[in-house]
Amino acid sequence: DAGVIQSPRHEVTEMGQEVTLRCKPISGHNSLFWYRQTMMRGLELLIYFNNNVPIDDSGMPEDRFSAKMPNASFSTLKIQPSEPRDSAVYFCASSLQTSGRETQYFGPGTRLLVL
Amino acid sequence: QKEVEQNSGPLSVPEGAIASLNCTYSDRVSQSFFWYRQYSGKSPELIMSIYSNGDKEDGRFTAQLNKASQYVSLLIRDSQPSDSATYLCAVTGNNDMRFGAGTRLTVKP
């Protein structure tokens, strides 16, 4: 299996622009997670989906952030408009949620820099 | 109080020594506990998972869990320079996973 795939790997944009991050989870996994990692705040859970349905989006910082999962093999995280404080590494992770003991597998991350 | 707490380090140990990493959590309903390793510029990768009180050993790694004390630890025996990384403690409960801030470990040759 190719693992969790994220694109782009790097993104540099200007403040005010729209940014779309993409994720393809591991085939067969039914849960997908979006995280943001910064030096100051560490690894933060933004939102997670189970069977394509958003379960908890309490970590989404504000209305500028939105996430969708139109099918089991694809998810997007959109920031509109972007701000310099959004600069971070964004990770997508997936798991097969069955007994509550599931392991999350992380993608390589997208390094976002907002100028 | 943070949900999952770790000493940020850096923790420095000589090659061949035992590295001890600690983590405490606040949610008593937490069910599963994980240790992830993250090299600089890379994504977290799972090292160990533990679900029951006691010790779990896997090669040079031993995870220890004490639910009464809400404490989980990771011991790395015979530390190698390649073990130098940030170690993240993660705890699941209520259908989500919460991470600690991570402990940066440096193993000096």
Side-chain angles (χ1 to χ4, degrees):
Chain A
D1 199 314
V4 177
I5 299 172
Q6 291 186 247
S7 65
R9 295 291 305 276
H10 302 272
E11 177 82 24
V12 180
T13 191
E14 292 186 343
M15 182 174 62
Q17 297 299 305
E18 177 179 295
V19 175
T20 300
L21 310 180
R22 298 173 176 80
C23 176
K24 177 178 168 57
I26 292 173
S27 178
H29 282 187
N30 60 1
S31 294
L32 183 141
F33 306 79
W34 282 102
Y35 291 91
R36 177 174 66 178
Q37 187 175 39
T38 62
M39 288 294 291
M40 290 295 294
R41 301 173 69 92
L43 195 62
E44 301 174 280
L45 177 66
L46 299 177
I47 185 171
Y48 82 94
F49 296 84
N50 184 253
N51 293 322
N52 311 338
V53 176
I55 302 300
D56 183 359
D57 65 354
S58 60
M60 295 286 263
E62 49 198 270
D63 292 345
R64 297 185 298 106
F65 285 69
S66 62
K68 294 181 180 180
M69 191 165 187
N71 57 62
S73 59
F74 183 67
S75 176
T76 60
L77 178 68
K78 185 175 293 186
I79 308 172
Q80 167 62 18
S82 58
E83 296 182 2
R85 59 189 169 130
D86 301 330
S87 298
V89 180
Y90 291 81
F91 289 106
C92 175
S94 72
S95 70
L96 177 59
Q97 190 171 40
T98 53
S99 63
R101 296 185 170 188
E102 61 279 358
T103 298
Q104 292 187 18
Y105 296 89
F106 283 76
T110 295
R111 290 185 175 275
L112 173 65
L113 177 61
V114 183
L115 302 174
Chain B
Q1 181 186 5
K2 293 182 180 178
E3 294 180 46
V4 182
E5 293 205 47
Q6 296 180 252
N7 289 328
S8 61
L11 173 65
S12 181
V13 301
E15 184 175 357
I18 295 175
S20 178
L21 306 166
N22 304 315
C23 173
T24 58
Y25 58 95
S26 59
D27 190 350
R28 287 193 171 275
V29 301
S30 298
Q31 300 171 334
S32 305
F33 308 85
F34 304 85
W35 282 100
Y36 282 81
R37 177 177 62 199
Q38 186 175 24
Y39 291 114
S40 180
K42 302 295 184 181
S43 58
E45 57 178 331
L46 182 72
I47 298 177
M48 293 279 289
S49 59
I50 186 167
Y51 311 109
S52 304
N53 281 328
D55 295 359
K56 179 181 178 182
E57 186 175 319
D58 183 1
R60 295 187 296 110
F61 299 95
T62 299
Q64 299 173 319
L65 174 61
N66 184 325
K67 289 188 177 182
S69 300
Q70 295 175 238
Y71 174 90
V72 59
S73 66
L74 179 70
L75 300 178
I76 306 175
R77 290 182 301 280
D78 189 22
S79 297
Q80 302 297 310
S82 59
D83 296 326
S84 298
T86 296
Y87 290 80
L88 302 167
C89 172
V91 175
T92 63
N94 297 323
N95 295 318
D96 68 359
M97 181 178 284
R98 302 291 173 176
F99 284 81
T103 298
R104 186 156 58 92
L105 171 67
T106 299
V107 180
K108 295 185 175 181

